Every structure is written in structure tokens, then in C-alpha cells.
Amino acid sequence: HLAASLKNFLLSPVVPLIGYFGLDNTGITELISKDSPMLQSILGEGFGHIGACYSLHYVIKSLSHIGKALKGSS
């Protein structure tokens, strides 16, 4: 469980970084959302922000694995 926890902690910053540097800074986000007000409102601050919200999944999963590891060692 500790290895899975470490993997999830390491993955948590990857998604927002890819969203921010790969899509937001290159102009892809603006290109995708410029013709659609609905997409603009969904994307909000861009894929980096969405990725940051999504990365909470990895943090919660990691804490779950730590809990399982501690419960198993008791």
C-alpha cells in the first residue's frame, strides 16, 4: 500500500502541470473555447485549474492507501 500511496502522491502534480503548460500556455485552451461561450464557462481558468481539482483524487487515494497500510501493520 505504501508504494501505491507514493505513486499517487507523485502523480498528483502531473495532471495540472500538463494542463497548464501543455494546453493553457500554448493557446490550445483559448482556441478550443473561443467559439463556444458554454465551453468558456466550463473551462473557467483553464485546464491547469481543472487538473488541480482533479489531482485531489490522487491525494485522497494516496491517503486511503496510507490508511490501509497503517491498518494492516497494526
Side-chain angles (χ1 to χ4, degrees), residues 8-41:
N8 284 318
F9 267 126
L10 293 175
L11 285 175
S12 64
V14 171
V15 177
L17 289 174
I18 289 172
Y20 181 73
F21 289 110
L23 299 171
D24 296 341
N25 280 346
T26 58
I28 292 174
T29 302
E30 185 178 339
L31 181 69
I32 291 171
S33 65
K34 81 174 179 185
D35 293 332
S36 173
M38 185 176 186
L39 271 178
Q40 183 119 19
S41 65

PDB file of all heavy atoms in Angstrom, residues 8-41:
ATOM      1  N   ASN A   8       0.673   7.671  -6.125  1.00  0.00           N
ATOM      2  CA  ASN A   8      -0.399   8.657  -6.213  1.00  0.00           C
ATOM      3  C   ASN A   8       0.067  10.052  -5.824  1.00  0.00           C
ATOM      4  O   ASN A   8      -0.333  11.040  -6.437  1.00  0.00           O
ATOM      5  CB  ASN A   8      -1.593   8.245  -5.363  1.00  0.00           C
ATOM      6  CG  ASN A   8      -2.380   7.141  -6.017  1.00  0.00           C
ATOM      7  OD1 ASN A   8      -2.607   7.167  -7.219  1.00  0.00           O
ATOM      8  ND2 ASN A   8      -2.788   6.153  -5.251  1.00  0.00           N
ATOM      9  N   PHE A   9       0.928  10.169  -4.806  1.00  0.00           N
ATOM     10  CA  PHE A   9       1.463  11.478  -4.452  1.00  0.00           C
ATOM     11  C   PHE A   9       2.324  12.041  -5.574  1.00  0.00           C
ATOM     12  O   PHE A   9       2.315  13.244  -5.837  1.00  0.00           O
ATOM     13  CB  PHE A   9       2.282  11.416  -3.166  1.00  0.00           C
ATOM     14  CG  PHE A   9       1.486  11.723  -1.930  1.00  0.00           C
ATOM     15  CD1 PHE A   9       1.464  10.836  -0.872  1.00  0.00           C
ATOM     16  CD2 PHE A   9       0.758  12.890  -1.810  1.00  0.00           C
ATOM     17  CE1 PHE A   9       0.741  11.107   0.272  1.00  0.00           C
ATOM     18  CE2 PHE A   9       0.024  13.173  -0.674  1.00  0.00           C
ATOM     19  CZ  PHE A   9       0.018  12.276   0.376  1.00  0.00           C
ATOM     20  N   LEU A  10       3.063  11.181  -6.246  1.00  0.00           N
ATOM     21  CA  LEU A  10       3.901  11.655  -7.349  1.00  0.00           C
ATOM     22  C   LEU A  10       3.070  12.047  -8.562  1.00  0.00           C
ATOM     23  O   LEU A  10       3.454  12.942  -9.313  1.00  0.00           O
ATOM     24  CB  LEU A  10       4.926  10.584  -7.734  1.00  0.00           C
ATOM     25  CG  LEU A  10       5.998  10.298  -6.684  1.00  0.00           C
ATOM     26  CD1 LEU A  10       6.875   9.127  -7.125  1.00  0.00           C
ATOM     27  CD2 LEU A  10       6.836  11.534  -6.421  1.00  0.00           C
ATOM     28  N   LEU A  11       1.928  11.404  -8.775  1.00  0.00           N
ATOM     29  CA  LEU A  11       1.071  11.731  -9.911  1.00  0.00           C
ATOM     30  C   LEU A  11       0.239  12.994  -9.686  1.00  0.00           C
ATOM     31  O   LEU A  11      -0.193  13.616 -10.654  1.00  0.00           O
ATOM     32  CB  LEU A  11       0.126  10.567 -10.219  1.00  0.00           C
ATOM     33  CG  LEU A  11       0.740   9.349 -10.907  1.00  0.00           C
ATOM     34  CD1 LEU A  11      -0.300   8.245 -11.024  1.00  0.00           C
ATOM     35  CD2 LEU A  11       1.268   9.725 -12.276  1.00  0.00           C
ATOM     36  N   SER A  12       0.013  13.374  -8.438  1.00  0.00           N
ATOM     37  CA  SER A  12      -0.901  14.490  -8.182  1.00  0.00           C
ATOM     38  C   SER A  12      -0.503  15.802  -8.859  1.00  0.00           C
ATOM     39  O   SER A  12      -1.375  16.518  -9.339  1.00  0.00           O
ATOM     40  CB  SER A  12      -1.114  14.687  -6.683  1.00  0.00           C
ATOM     41  OG  SER A  12       0.065  15.056  -6.046  1.00  0.00           O
ATOM     42  N   PRO A  13       0.779  16.180  -8.981  1.00  0.00           N
ATOM     43  CA  PRO A  13       1.077  17.438  -9.677  1.00  0.00           C
ATOM     44  C   PRO A  13       1.169  17.302 -11.195  1.00  0.00           C
ATOM     45  O   PRO A  13       1.199  18.299 -11.904  1.00  0.00           O
ATOM     46  CB  PRO A  13       2.416  17.869  -9.095  1.00  0.00           C
ATOM     47  CG  PRO A  13       3.076  16.605  -8.693  1.00  0.00           C
ATOM     48  CD  PRO A  13       1.958  15.681  -8.280  1.00  0.00           C
ATOM     49  N   VAL A  14       1.192  16.088 -11.710  1.00  0.00           N
ATOM     50  CA  VAL A  14       1.400  15.888 -13.147  1.00  0.00           C
ATOM     51  C   VAL A  14       0.227  16.414 -13.976  1.00  0.00           C
ATOM     52  O   VAL A  14       0.428  17.126 -14.963  1.00  0.00           O
ATOM     53  CB  VAL A  14       1.663  14.387 -13.452  1.00  0.00           C
ATOM     54  CG1 VAL A  14       1.655  14.116 -14.940  1.00  0.00           C
ATOM     55  CG2 VAL A  14       2.977  13.953 -12.838  1.00  0.00           C
ATOM     56  N   VAL A  15      -0.991  16.103 -13.587  1.00  0.00           N
ATOM     57  CA  VAL A  15      -2.173  16.485 -14.371  1.00  0.00           C
ATOM     58  C   VAL A  15      -2.311  18.003 -14.493  1.00  0.00           C
ATOM     59  O   VAL A  15      -2.471  18.525 -15.596  1.00  0.00           O
ATOM     60  CB  VAL A  15      -3.450  15.836 -13.791  1.00  0.00           C
ATOM     61  CG1 VAL A  15      -4.676  16.294 -14.544  1.00  0.00           C
ATOM     62  CG2 VAL A  15      -3.337  14.319 -13.844  1.00  0.00           C
ATOM     63  N   PRO A  16      -2.218  18.774 -13.382  1.00  0.00           N
ATOM     64  CA  PRO A  16      -2.326  20.226 -13.554  1.00  0.00           C
ATOM     65  C   PRO A  16      -1.170  20.829 -14.341  1.00  0.00           C
ATOM     66  O   PRO A  16      -1.362  21.790 -15.093  1.00  0.00           O
ATOM     67  CB  PRO A  16      -2.358  20.778 -12.135  1.00  0.00           C
ATOM     68  CG  PRO A  16      -2.162  19.656 -11.221  1.00  0.00           C
ATOM     69  CD  PRO A  16      -2.223  18.385 -11.986  1.00  0.00           C
ATOM     70  N   LEU A  17       0.019  20.276 -14.197  1.00  0.00           N
ATOM     71  CA  LEU A  17       1.160  20.805 -14.946  1.00  0.00           C
ATOM     72  C   LEU A  17       0.996  20.582 -16.444  1.00  0.00           C
ATOM     73  O   LEU A  17       1.286  21.473 -17.250  1.00  0.00           O
ATOM     74  CB  LEU A  17       2.471  20.176 -14.455  1.00  0.00           C
ATOM     75  CG  LEU A  17       2.917  20.620 -13.070  1.00  0.00           C
ATOM     76  CD1 LEU A  17       4.144  19.834 -12.626  1.00  0.00           C
ATOM     77  CD2 LEU A  17       3.187  22.107 -13.043  1.00  0.00           C
ATOM     78  N   ILE A  18       0.521  19.408 -16.822  1.00  0.00           N
ATOM     79  CA  ILE A  18       0.267  19.142 -18.242  1.00  0.00           C
ATOM     80  C   ILE A  18      -0.821  20.078 -18.758  1.00  0.00           C
ATOM     81  O   ILE A  18      -0.694  20.659 -19.836  1.00  0.00           O
ATOM     82  CB  ILE A  18      -0.140  17.664 -18.462  1.00  0.00           C
ATOM     83  CG1 ILE A  18       1.064  16.751 -18.256  1.00  0.00           C
ATOM     84  CG2 ILE A  18      -0.713  17.465 -19.866  1.00  0.00           C
ATOM     85  CD1 ILE A  18       0.714  15.271 -18.267  1.00  0.00           C
ATOM     86  N   GLY A  19      -1.880  20.251 -17.975  1.00  0.00           N
ATOM     87  CA  GLY A  19      -2.956  21.154 -18.382  1.00  0.00           C
ATOM     88  C   GLY A  19      -2.491  22.579 -18.536  1.00  0.00           C
ATOM     89  O   GLY A  19      -2.816  23.260 -19.510  1.00  0.00           O
ATOM     90  N   TYR A  20      -1.695  23.032 -17.591  1.00  0.00           N
ATOM     91  CA  TYR A  20      -1.265  24.428 -17.610  1.00  0.00           C
ATOM     92  C   TYR A  20      -0.233  24.686 -18.702  1.00  0.00           C
ATOM     93  O   TYR A  20      -0.396  25.569 -19.540  1.00  0.00           O
ATOM     94  CB  TYR A  20      -0.706  24.831 -16.247  1.00  0.00           C
ATOM     95  CG  TYR A  20      -0.257  26.265 -16.198  1.00  0.00           C
ATOM     96  CD1 TYR A  20      -1.195  27.291 -16.181  1.00  0.00           C
ATOM     97  CD2 TYR A  20       1.085  26.590 -16.177  1.00  0.00           C
ATOM     98  CE1 TYR A  20      -0.798  28.608 -16.149  1.00  0.00           C
ATOM     99  CE2 TYR A  20       1.494  27.907 -16.146  1.00  0.00           C
ATOM    100  CZ  TYR A  20       0.551  28.915 -16.126  1.00  0.00           C
ATOM    101  OH  TYR A  20       0.949  30.221 -16.102  1.00  0.00           O
ATOM    102  N   PHE A  21       0.850  23.908 -18.693  1.00  0.00           N
ATOM    103  CA  PHE A  21       1.922  24.166 -19.653  1.00  0.00           C
ATOM    104  C   PHE A  21       1.615  23.618 -21.042  1.00  0.00           C
ATOM    105  O   PHE A  21       2.026  24.184 -22.043  1.00  0.00           O
ATOM    106  CB  PHE A  21       3.252  23.580 -19.147  1.00  0.00           C
ATOM    107  CG  PHE A  21       3.802  24.337 -17.982  1.00  0.00           C
ATOM    108  CD1 PHE A  21       3.825  23.778 -16.724  1.00  0.00           C
ATOM    109  CD2 PHE A  21       4.286  25.620 -18.143  1.00  0.00           C
ATOM    110  CE1 PHE A  21       4.328  24.483 -15.635  1.00  0.00           C
ATOM    111  CE2 PHE A  21       4.790  26.341 -17.064  1.00  0.00           C
ATOM    112  CZ  PHE A  21       4.811  25.761 -15.813  1.00  0.00           C
ATOM    113  N   GLY A  22       0.880  22.517 -21.111  1.00  0.00           N
ATOM    114  CA  GLY A  22       0.616  21.897 -22.405  1.00  0.00           C
ATOM    115  C   GLY A  22      -0.572  22.473 -23.152  1.00  0.00           C
ATOM    116  O   GLY A  22      -0.594  22.489 -24.373  1.00  0.00           O
ATOM    117  N   LEU A  23      -1.566  22.958 -22.415  1.00  0.00           N
ATOM    118  CA  LEU A  23      -2.785  23.435 -23.075  1.00  0.00           C
ATOM    119  C   LEU A  23      -3.030  24.934 -22.866  1.00  0.00           C
ATOM    120  O   LEU A  23      -3.367  25.638 -23.803  1.00  0.00           O
ATOM    121  CB  LEU A  23      -3.992  22.634 -22.583  1.00  0.00           C
ATOM    122  CG  LEU A  23      -3.936  21.137 -22.872  1.00  0.00           C
ATOM    123  CD1 LEU A  23      -5.056  20.411 -22.161  1.00  0.00           C
ATOM    124  CD2 LEU A  23      -3.998  20.871 -24.360  1.00  0.00           C
ATOM    125  N   ASP A  24      -2.881  25.408 -21.642  1.00  0.00           N
ATOM    126  CA  ASP A  24      -3.181  26.815 -21.364  1.00  0.00           C
ATOM    127  C   ASP A  24      -2.125  27.758 -21.947  1.00  0.00           C
ATOM    128  O   ASP A  24      -2.462  28.745 -22.597  1.00  0.00           O
ATOM    129  CB  ASP A  24      -3.295  27.054 -19.865  1.00  0.00           C
ATOM    130  CG  ASP A  24      -4.461  26.290 -19.240  1.00  0.00           C
ATOM    131  OD1 ASP A  24      -5.366  25.878 -19.982  1.00  0.00           O
ATOM    132  OD2 ASP A  24      -4.451  26.110 -18.020  1.00  0.00           O
ATOM    133  N   ASN A  25      -0.867  27.469 -21.714  1.00  0.00           N
ATOM    134  CA  ASN A  25       0.203  28.372 -22.182  1.00  0.00           C
ATOM    135  C   ASN A  25       0.456  28.291 -23.679  1.00  0.00           C
ATOM    136  O   ASN A  25       1.058  29.206 -24.236  1.00  0.00           O
ATOM    137  CB  ASN A  25       1.504  28.096 -21.432  1.00  0.00           C
ATOM    138  CG  ASN A  25       1.505  28.737 -20.070  1.00  0.00           C
ATOM    139  OD1 ASN A  25       0.670  29.585 -19.775  1.00  0.00           O
ATOM    140  ND2 ASN A  25       2.435  28.336 -19.233  1.00  0.00           N
ATOM    141  N   THR A  26       0.039  27.232 -24.306  1.00  0.00           N
ATOM    142  CA  THR A  26       0.257  27.116 -25.752  1.00  0.00           C
ATOM    143  C   THR A  26      -0.884  27.715 -26.564  1.00  0.00           C
ATOM    144  O   THR A  26      -0.795  27.797 -27.776  1.00  0.00           O
ATOM    145  CB  THR A  26       0.425  25.634 -26.162  1.00  0.00           C
ATOM    146  OG1 THR A  26      -0.733  24.917 -25.770  1.00  0.00           O
ATOM    147  CG2 THR A  26       1.665  25.029 -25.528  1.00  0.00           C
ATOM    148  N   GLY A  27      -1.958  28.115 -25.894  1.00  0.00           N
ATOM    149  CA  GLY A  27      -3.083  28.730 -26.584  1.00  0.00           C
ATOM    150  C   GLY A  27      -4.151  27.747 -27.030  1.00  0.00           C
ATOM    151  O   GLY A  27      -5.149  28.147 -27.623  1.00  0.00           O
ATOM    152  N   ILE A  28      -3.967  26.488 -26.756  1.00  0.00           N
ATOM    153  CA  ILE A  28      -4.948  25.477 -27.169  1.00  0.00           C
ATOM    154  C   ILE A  28      -6.271  25.684 -26.428  1.00  0.00           C
ATOM    155  O   ILE A  28      -7.345  25.570 -27.019  1.00  0.00           O
ATOM    156  CB  ILE A  28      -4.392  24.053 -26.960  1.00  0.00           C
ATOM    157  CG1 ILE A  28      -3.240  23.822 -27.935  1.00  0.00           C
ATOM    158  CG2 ILE A  28      -5.482  23.008 -27.149  1.00  0.00           C
ATOM    159  CD1 ILE A  28      -2.512  22.517 -27.751  1.00  0.00           C
ATOM    160  N   THR A  29      -6.201  26.029 -25.147  1.00  0.00           N
ATOM    161  CA  THR A  29      -7.422  26.270 -24.376  1.00  0.00           C
ATOM    162  C   THR A  29      -8.228  27.405 -24.993  1.00  0.00           C
ATOM    163  O   THR A  29      -9.447  27.298 -25.157  1.00  0.00           O
ATOM    164  CB  THR A  29      -7.074  26.609 -22.912  1.00  0.00           C
ATOM    165  OG1 THR A  29      -6.321  25.536 -22.366  1.00  0.00           O
ATOM    166  CG2 THR A  29      -8.325  26.822 -22.087  1.00  0.00           C
ATOM    167  N   GLU A  30      -7.561  28.492 -25.329  1.00  0.00           N
ATOM    168  CA  GLU A  30      -8.255  29.636 -25.932  1.00  0.00           C
ATOM    169  C   GLU A  30      -8.837  29.267 -27.289  1.00  0.00           C
ATOM    170  O   GLU A  30      -9.959  29.647 -27.623  1.00  0.00           O
ATOM    171  CB  GLU A  30      -7.286  30.804 -26.091  1.00  0.00           C
ATOM    172  CG  GLU A  30      -7.942  32.060 -26.590  1.00  0.00           C
ATOM    173  CD  GLU A  30      -6.949  33.207 -26.698  1.00  0.00           C
ATOM    174  OE1 GLU A  30      -5.903  33.172 -26.042  1.00  0.00           O
ATOM    175  OE2 GLU A  30      -7.245  34.129 -27.468  1.00  0.00           O
ATOM    176  N   LEU A  31      -8.098  28.500 -28.066  1.00  0.00           N
ATOM    177  CA  LEU A  31      -8.564  28.070 -29.380  1.00  0.00           C
ATOM    178  C   LEU A  31      -9.817  27.203 -29.263  1.00  0.00           C
ATOM    179  O   LEU A  31     -10.776  27.371 -30.015  1.00  0.00           O
ATOM    180  CB  LEU A  31      -7.457  27.301 -30.110  1.00  0.00           C
ATOM    181  CG  LEU A  31      -7.765  26.812 -31.504  1.00  0.00           C
ATOM    182  CD1 LEU A  31      -7.869  28.001 -32.462  1.00  0.00           C
ATOM    183  CD2 LEU A  31      -6.681  25.857 -31.966  1.00  0.00           C
ATOM    184  N   ILE A  32      -9.823  26.296 -28.301  1.00  0.00           N
ATOM    185  CA  ILE A  32     -10.960  25.395 -28.106  1.00  0.00           C
ATOM    186  C   ILE A  32     -12.192  26.160 -27.650  1.00  0.00           C
ATOM    187  O   ILE A  32     -13.306  25.905 -28.116  1.00  0.00           O
ATOM    188  CB  ILE A  32     -10.613  24.299 -27.069  1.00  0.00           C
ATOM    189  CG1 ILE A  32      -9.572  23.349 -27.626  1.00  0.00           C
ATOM    190  CG2 ILE A  32     -11.852  23.536 -26.643  1.00  0.00           C
ATOM    191  CD1 ILE A  32      -9.030  22.381 -26.593  1.00  0.00           C
ATOM    192  N   SER A  33     -12.013  27.115 -26.747  1.00  0.00           N
ATOM    193  CA  SER A  33     -13.171  27.739 -26.110  1.00  0.00           C
ATOM    194  C   SER A  33     -13.605  29.067 -26.721  1.00  0.00           C
ATOM    195  O   SER A  33     -14.632  29.602 -26.324  1.00  0.00           O
ATOM    196  CB  SER A  33     -12.882  27.946 -24.625  1.00  0.00           C
ATOM    197  OG  SER A  33     -11.825  28.860 -24.454  1.00  0.00           O
ATOM    198  N   LYS A  34     -12.876  29.600 -27.688  1.00  0.00           N
ATOM    199  CA  LYS A  34     -13.203  30.948 -28.175  1.00  0.00           C
ATOM    200  C   LYS A  34     -14.536  31.011 -28.914  1.00  0.00           C
ATOM    201  O   LYS A  34     -15.203  32.029 -28.885  1.00  0.00           O
ATOM    202  CB  LYS A  34     -12.079  31.508 -29.033  1.00  0.00           C
ATOM    203  CG  LYS A  34     -12.054  31.035 -30.453  1.00  0.00           C
ATOM    204  CD  LYS A  34     -10.985  31.769 -31.218  1.00  0.00           C
ATOM    205  CE  LYS A  34     -10.972  31.238 -32.645  1.00  0.00           C
ATOM    206  NZ  LYS A  34      -9.924  31.784 -33.431  1.00  0.00           N
ATOM    207  N   ASP A  35     -14.953  29.957 -29.556  1.00  0.00           N
ATOM    208  CA  ASP A  35     -16.198  29.971 -30.309  1.00  0.00           C
ATOM    209  C   ASP A  35     -17.405  29.505 -29.508  1.00  0.00           C
ATOM    210  O   ASP A  35     -18.526  29.561 -29.996  1.00  0.00           O
ATOM    211  CB  ASP A  35     -16.071  29.094 -31.564  1.00  0.00           C
ATOM    212  CG  ASP A  35     -15.080  29.673 -32.568  1.00  0.00           C
ATOM    213  OD1 ASP A  35     -14.920  30.905 -32.587  1.00  0.00           O
ATOM    214  OD2 ASP A  35     -14.473  28.886 -33.308  1.00  0.00           O
ATOM    215  N   SER A  36     -17.182  29.035 -28.308  1.00  0.00           N
ATOM    216  CA  SER A  36     -18.283  28.484 -27.525  1.00  0.00           C
ATOM    217  C   SER A  36     -18.302  29.101 -26.122  1.00  0.00           C
ATOM    218  O   SER A  36     -17.446  28.794 -25.298  1.00  0.00           O
ATOM    219  CB  SER A  36     -18.131  26.971 -27.411  1.00  0.00           C
ATOM    220  OG  SER A  36     -19.087  26.450 -26.534  1.00  0.00           O
ATOM    221  N   PRO A  37     -19.290  29.954 -25.853  1.00  0.00           N
ATOM    222  CA  PRO A  37     -19.393  30.527 -24.509  1.00  0.00           C
ATOM    223  C   PRO A  37     -19.627  29.458 -23.438  1.00  0.00           C
ATOM    224  O   PRO A  37     -19.189  29.597 -22.314  1.00  0.00           O
ATOM    225  CB  PRO A  37     -20.588  31.474 -24.587  1.00  0.00           C
ATOM    226  CG  PRO A  37     -21.033  31.496 -26.000  1.00  0.00           C
ATOM    227  CD  PRO A  37     -20.301  30.450 -26.754  1.00  0.00           C
ATOM    228  N   MET A  38     -20.281  28.380 -23.836  1.00  0.00           N
ATOM    229  CA  MET A  38     -20.528  27.296 -22.876  1.00  0.00           C
ATOM    230  C   MET A  38     -19.212  26.637 -22.465  1.00  0.00           C
ATOM    231  O   MET A  38     -18.971  26.402 -21.282  1.00  0.00           O
ATOM    232  CB  MET A  38     -21.476  26.264 -23.473  1.00  0.00           C
ATOM    233  CG  MET A  38     -21.877  25.192 -22.513  1.00  0.00           C
ATOM    234  SD  MET A  38     -23.086  24.132 -23.320  1.00  0.00           S
ATOM    235  CE  MET A  38     -23.518  23.102 -21.963  1.00  0.00           C
ATOM    236  N   LEU A  39     -18.362  26.332 -23.439  1.00  0.00           N
ATOM    237  CA  LEU A  39     -17.058  25.753 -23.113  1.00  0.00           C
ATOM    238  C   LEU A  39     -16.216  26.723 -22.304  1.00  0.00           C
ATOM    239  O   LEU A  39     -15.487  26.312 -21.403  1.00  0.00           O
ATOM    240  CB  LEU A  39     -16.306  25.372 -24.389  1.00  0.00           C
ATOM    241  CG  LEU A  39     -16.558  23.981 -24.924  1.00  0.00           C
ATOM    242  CD1 LEU A  39     -15.772  23.762 -26.216  1.00  0.00           C
ATOM    243  CD2 LEU A  39     -16.178  22.931 -23.919  1.00  0.00           C
ATOM    244  N   GLN A  40     -16.298  28.001 -22.625  1.00  0.00           N
ATOM    245  CA  GLN A  40     -15.537  29.004 -21.883  1.00  0.00           C
ATOM    246  C   GLN A  40     -15.940  28.998 -20.416  1.00  0.00           C
ATOM    247  O   GLN A  40     -15.092  29.072 -19.535  1.00  0.00           O
ATOM    248  CB  GLN A  40     -15.770  30.388 -22.487  1.00  0.00           C
ATOM    249  CG  GLN A  40     -14.957  31.458 -21.830  1.00  0.00           C
ATOM    250  CD  GLN A  40     -14.033  32.118 -22.797  1.00  0.00           C
ATOM    251  OE1 GLN A  40     -14.228  32.025 -23.984  1.00  0.00           O
ATOM    252  NE2 GLN A  40     -13.019  32.760 -22.289  1.00  0.00           N
ATOM    253  N   SER A  41     -17.231  28.888 -20.145  1.00  0.00           N
ATOM    254  CA  SER A  41     -17.680  28.875 -18.751  1.00  0.00           C
ATOM    255  C   SER A  41     -17.306  27.570 -18.052  1.00  0.00           C
ATOM    256  O   SER A  41     -17.043  27.565 -16.856  1.00  0.00           O
ATOM    257  CB  SER A  41     -19.184  29.115 -18.662  1.00  0.00           C
ATOM    258  OG  SER A  41     -19.889  28.059 -19.267  1.00  0.00           O
TER     259      SER A  41
END
